[in-house]
Amino acid sequence: MELGRKDAASARISQPFGVRVRKDFKRNRLIYLMLLPVVAFYAIFHYGPLYGLQIAFKNFSPGKGIWHSEWVGFQHFQDFFTGFFFERVLRNTVLLGLYDLIFVFPASILLALMLNEVRSRFFKRTVQSITYIPHFISVVVVVGMMVDFMSTDGLINQIIQFFGGKGVPFLRLPEWFRTLFTTSAIWQGVGWGSIIYLAAISNIDPSLYEAAKVDGAGRWKQMLRITLPGIMPTVIILFILRIGSFMVLQDEKILLMYNPSTYETADVIGTYVYRKGILEASYSYAAAVGMFNSLINMALLLGANYISKRYSDTKLW
Amino acid sequence: MVHKKSFGEHAFDITNVVLLFTLSAVTLYPIVYVLFASISDPNQFVQHRGILWWPAGFSLDSYKMVFENPNILNSYLNTLFYVVAGTTLNMVMTALGAYGLSRRNVMWGSLIMILIVLTMFFDGGLIPKYLIVQGLGLTDTYLALIIPSAMTTWNLIVMRTAFQSVPVSLEEAARIDGANDWTILCRVVIPLSMPVMAVMILFYGVWHWNKWFDALIYLRDRDLFPLQLILREILVQNDTNSMMTSVGGGDRMPVAQTIKYATVMVATLPILFLYPFLQKYFVKGVMVGAIKE
């Protein structure tokens, strides 16, 4: 009680809680009315699923509903960890996530740095406009184009055969999946991803460059010593976020791209959840697998943020 | 000041430009190829090997077949409906939320905001959400693609940031004139945030246009399918049979190829046409989001 009074610095706040609630509600009635549909939406479609996540520890049957299905503890998790698919989906999820961090993530930074060095405004604008386009093309179309170009009689194989090579059924070969997935991700996102870095670059104080020139630094040195450090905070923030979604791959794209002959390298946790849950209706098991994935992501996000806070000034919160 | 460029600097510039040019070409060519192939003469096209520098012959037959196909036509109309209805609901919900949560002196506002932002990190996942949508009886209705995607947290944050930057003095002036919150939102805040509103409409619109996974899991009834789901059948599962009913035996193969390209163009052209006009708004949208939550 005493603590509460000390904390409440202003006289206005020291009114009893109930009075404040009523006053606030009276004053902001219309605002709460406006927020009502929004709160309802989040309650149903975001907190509802969180409530429904309990089926991961139950044997959900549609007849009994979420609440009345009986508890089975960690049974589904155990089944997953000891099952045949655990190793495969975990390996593929981690590897594709790593490829994304190593190749896709830096590609945008590199493009931004390169665009920044272009002297002609017209050329810069044109390159930007062109590289943004794929961001707006739907995944279905992107994968559809890949399927067509990479097919045994597609454009790529026609070119290979023209130079005397042998045709390769790319999308049917497990060893090609990761390469194709990652390369097409760069194609889709490199331009769009560079926007934020270009903005960060334009915020760098121009006098720094002037000073560097006086000191005799060439363009290469300026890029390494001024531009790159200048955008580092942005890079770190985006990197943390990226790690947090390290295992939220573009499941939808994989679902379109893979087929049973490439499952070996393409099947990830997200697609496994889809097959188990939606196609086979093993709701509880699939929910448990999905929950495992979300928990790892949470841990990674918190971990990345912690490390960044420890070793640099940049943090998400 | 005359600055003589060194050899190194020249090499740097040239390499840079060459690399960027290559990137642009690689980005653009697949789209150009599809465009050329779609307006090619089907018979000449299948005989052509390798890179297309120009359409192989000219024919709009593939487009004709696409537009005569009842599956595509119906799903096209469905998608238009999903885009218009979905985006409208998105805008109303996001504006209401953004206004309410951008006001100061709302006692529960910050708590609600925290609970909303938390959902970006905690997620129930695919299966529980599916069960909720199913439990509400939304599966296999038009609403399945509209209600569960009524708004996104990211866009809410962006719009809230924009609303917060509307000068308080204007709001107070309106209040003195007897305006309530509803009037202030419609007459003061929204008119002053038009650029952000435009960006939001575009983001949501493109989102709905390109969405397909929700339709895959929530819809069984083909009459409700959006365009992207039909595209998936034609392009990814390589199933052009449903489109070939009206073609005689011998013509089947060549047209089956070019039809795919025409379908891609039909699905992508609306966005590509709008793109040059809207590009600066899109970019602005990314910026607004980047500035800070």
mmCIF file with all atom_site columns, all heavy atoms in Angstrom, chain A residues 9 18 21 24 40 59 62 95 180 193 227:
data_model
loop_
_atom_site.group_PDB
_atom_site.id
_atom_site.type_symbol
_atom_site.label_atom_id
_atom_site.label_alt_id
_atom_site.label_comp_id
_atom_site.label_asym_id
_atom_site.label_entity_id
_atom_site.label_seq_id
_atom_site.pdbx_PDB_ins_code
_atom_site.Cartn_x
_atom_site.Cartn_y
_atom_site.Cartn_z
_atom_site.occupancy
_atom_site.B_iso_or_equiv
_atom_site.pdbx_formal_charge
_atom_site.auth_seq_id
_atom_site.auth_comp_id
_atom_site.auth_asym_id
_atom_site.auth_atom_id
_atom_site.pdbx_PDB_model_num
ATOM 1  N N   . ALA A 1 9   ? 2.914   9.395   -8.283  1.00 0.00 ? 9   ALA A N   1
ATOM 2  C CA  . ALA A 1 9   ? 3.494   10.709  -8.028  1.00 0.00 ? 9   ALA A CA  1
ATOM 3  C C   . ALA A 1 9   ? 2.450   11.812  -8.061  1.00 0.00 ? 9   ALA A C   1
ATOM 4  O O   . ALA A 1 9   ? 2.385   12.648  -7.167  1.00 0.00 ? 9   ALA A O   1
ATOM 5  C CB  . ALA A 1 9   ? 4.594   10.999  -9.046  1.00 0.00 ? 9   ALA A CB  1
ATOM 6  N N   . GLY A 1 18  ? -11.090 2.189   -8.870  1.00 0.00 ? 18  GLY A N   1
ATOM 7  C CA  . GLY A 1 18  ? -12.437 2.087   -9.435  1.00 0.00 ? 18  GLY A CA  1
ATOM 8  C C   . GLY A 1 18  ? -12.922 3.396   -10.009 1.00 0.00 ? 18  GLY A C   1
ATOM 9  O O   . GLY A 1 18  ? -13.489 3.445   -11.104 1.00 0.00 ? 18  GLY A O   1
ATOM 10 N N   . VAL A 1 21  ? -11.151 4.090   -13.286 1.00 0.00 ? 21  VAL A N   1
ATOM 11 C CA  . VAL A 1 21  ? -11.680 3.267   -14.368 1.00 0.00 ? 21  VAL A CA  1
ATOM 12 C C   . VAL A 1 21  ? -12.978 3.854   -14.889 1.00 0.00 ? 21  VAL A C   1
ATOM 13 O O   . VAL A 1 21  ? -13.181 3.989   -16.098 1.00 0.00 ? 21  VAL A O   1
ATOM 14 C CB  . VAL A 1 21  ? -11.901 1.811   -13.893 1.00 0.00 ? 21  VAL A CB  1
ATOM 15 C CG1 . VAL A 1 21  ? -12.678 1.030   -14.945 1.00 0.00 ? 21  VAL A CG1 1
ATOM 16 C CG2 . VAL A 1 21  ? -10.579 1.147   -13.604 1.00 0.00 ? 21  VAL A CG2 1
ATOM 17 N N   . ASP A 1 24  ? -12.368 7.142   -16.757 1.00 0.00 ? 24  ASP A N   1
ATOM 18 C CA  . ASP A 1 24  ? -11.718 6.879   -18.043 1.00 0.00 ? 24  ASP A CA  1
ATOM 19 C C   . ASP A 1 24  ? -12.730 6.332   -19.036 1.00 0.00 ? 24  ASP A C   1
ATOM 20 O O   . ASP A 1 24  ? -12.771 6.740   -20.196 1.00 0.00 ? 24  ASP A O   1
ATOM 21 C CB  . ASP A 1 24  ? -10.580 5.871   -17.833 1.00 0.00 ? 24  ASP A CB  1
ATOM 22 C CG  . ASP A 1 24  ? -10.023 5.340   -19.144 1.00 0.00 ? 24  ASP A CG  1
ATOM 23 O OD1 . ASP A 1 24  ? -9.407  6.137   -19.875 1.00 0.00 ? 24  ASP A OD1 1
ATOM 24 O OD2 . ASP A 1 24  ? -10.206 4.148   -19.429 1.00 0.00 ? 24  ASP A OD2 1
ATOM 25 N N   . ALA A 1 40  ? -11.622 -7.718  -30.239 1.00 0.00 ? 40  ALA A N   1
ATOM 26 C CA  . ALA A 1 40  ? -12.304 -8.988  -30.499 1.00 0.00 ? 40  ALA A CA  1
ATOM 27 C C   . ALA A 1 40  ? -11.518 -9.805  -31.517 1.00 0.00 ? 40  ALA A C   1
ATOM 28 O O   . ALA A 1 40  ? -11.316 -11.009 -31.344 1.00 0.00 ? 40  ALA A O   1
ATOM 29 C CB  . ALA A 1 40  ? -13.721 -8.725  -31.008 1.00 0.00 ? 40  ALA A CB  1
ATOM 30 N N   . ASN A 1 59  ? -5.350  -35.281 -26.439 1.00 0.00 ? 59  ASN A N   1
ATOM 31 C CA  . ASN A 1 59  ? -5.733  -36.025 -27.626 1.00 0.00 ? 59  ASN A CA  1
ATOM 32 C C   . ASN A 1 59  ? -6.992  -35.381 -28.183 1.00 0.00 ? 59  ASN A C   1
ATOM 33 O O   . ASN A 1 59  ? -8.104  -35.755 -27.818 1.00 0.00 ? 59  ASN A O   1
ATOM 34 C CB  . ASN A 1 59  ? -5.999  -37.494 -27.285 1.00 0.00 ? 59  ASN A CB  1
ATOM 35 C CG  . ASN A 1 59  ? -4.869  -38.365 -27.769 1.00 0.00 ? 59  ASN A CG  1
ATOM 36 O OD1 . ASN A 1 59  ? -4.078  -37.958 -28.616 1.00 0.00 ? 59  ASN A OD1 1
ATOM 37 N ND2 . ASN A 1 59  ? -4.785  -39.564 -27.237 1.00 0.00 ? 59  ASN A ND2 1
ATOM 38 N N   . PRO A 1 62  ? -12.519 -33.807 -32.466 1.00 0.00 ? 62  PRO A N   1
ATOM 39 C CA  . PRO A 1 62  ? -13.444 -32.740 -32.818 1.00 0.00 ? 62  PRO A CA  1
ATOM 40 C C   . PRO A 1 62  ? -14.777 -32.854 -32.064 1.00 0.00 ? 62  PRO A C   1
ATOM 41 O O   . PRO A 1 62  ? -15.368 -31.851 -31.688 1.00 0.00 ? 62  PRO A O   1
ATOM 42 C CB  . PRO A 1 62  ? -13.661 -32.931 -34.320 1.00 0.00 ? 62  PRO A CB  1
ATOM 43 C CG  . PRO A 1 62  ? -12.437 -33.644 -34.790 1.00 0.00 ? 62  PRO A CG  1
ATOM 44 C CD  . PRO A 1 62  ? -12.019 -34.516 -33.653 1.00 0.00 ? 62  PRO A CD  1
ATOM 45 N N   . LEU A 1 95  ? 19.073  -25.996 -41.863 1.00 0.00 ? 95  LEU A N   1
ATOM 46 C CA  . LEU A 1 95  ? 19.950  -25.697 -42.996 1.00 0.00 ? 95  LEU A CA  1
ATOM 47 C C   . LEU A 1 95  ? 19.369  -24.605 -43.881 1.00 0.00 ? 95  LEU A C   1
ATOM 48 O O   . LEU A 1 95  ? 20.063  -23.657 -44.254 1.00 0.00 ? 95  LEU A O   1
ATOM 49 C CB  . LEU A 1 95  ? 20.209  -26.959 -43.821 1.00 0.00 ? 95  LEU A CB  1
ATOM 50 C CG  . LEU A 1 95  ? 21.333  -27.841 -43.282 1.00 0.00 ? 95  LEU A CG  1
ATOM 51 C CD1 . LEU A 1 95  ? 21.501  -29.074 -44.150 1.00 0.00 ? 95  LEU A CD1 1
ATOM 52 C CD2 . LEU A 1 95  ? 22.638  -27.053 -43.219 1.00 0.00 ? 95  LEU A CD2 1
ATOM 53 N N   . LEU A 1 180 ? 18.210  -24.041 -55.279 1.00 0.00 ? 180 LEU A N   1
ATOM 54 C CA  . LEU A 1 180 ? 17.127  -23.368 -55.985 1.00 0.00 ? 180 LEU A CA  1
ATOM 55 C C   . LEU A 1 180 ? 16.291  -22.522 -55.031 1.00 0.00 ? 180 LEU A C   1
ATOM 56 O O   . LEU A 1 180 ? 15.919  -21.389 -55.344 1.00 0.00 ? 180 LEU A O   1
ATOM 57 C CB  . LEU A 1 180 ? 16.229  -24.400 -56.676 1.00 0.00 ? 180 LEU A CB  1
ATOM 58 C CG  . LEU A 1 180 ? 16.876  -25.159 -57.821 1.00 0.00 ? 180 LEU A CG  1
ATOM 59 C CD1 . LEU A 1 180 ? 15.916  -26.190 -58.378 1.00 0.00 ? 180 LEU A CD1 1
ATOM 60 C CD2 . LEU A 1 180 ? 17.300  -24.184 -58.916 1.00 0.00 ? 180 LEU A CD2 1
ATOM 61 N N   . GLY A 1 193 ? 14.592  -5.706  -50.071 1.00 0.00 ? 193 GLY A N   1
ATOM 62 C CA  . GLY A 1 193 ? 15.314  -5.680  -48.809 1.00 0.00 ? 193 GLY A CA  1
ATOM 63 C C   . GLY A 1 193 ? 16.322  -4.541  -48.732 1.00 0.00 ? 193 GLY A C   1
ATOM 64 O O   . GLY A 1 193 ? 16.682  -4.096  -47.654 1.00 0.00 ? 193 GLY A O   1
ATOM 65 N N   . THR A 1 227 ? 30.365  4.026   -44.535 1.00 0.00 ? 227 THR A N   1
ATOM 66 C CA  . THR A 1 227 ? 29.030  3.563   -44.898 1.00 0.00 ? 227 THR A CA  1
ATOM 67 C C   . THR A 1 227 ? 28.633  2.332   -44.095 1.00 0.00 ? 227 THR A C   1
ATOM 68 O O   . THR A 1 227 ? 27.577  2.291   -43.475 1.00 0.00 ? 227 THR A O   1
ATOM 69 C CB  . THR A 1 227 ? 28.968  3.244   -46.404 1.00 0.00 ? 227 THR A CB  1
ATOM 70 O OG1 . THR A 1 227 ? 29.619  4.281   -47.122 1.00 0.00 ? 227 THR A OG1 1
ATOM 71 C CG2 . THR A 1 227 ? 27.537  3.131   -46.854 1.00 0.00 ? 227 THR A CG2 1
#
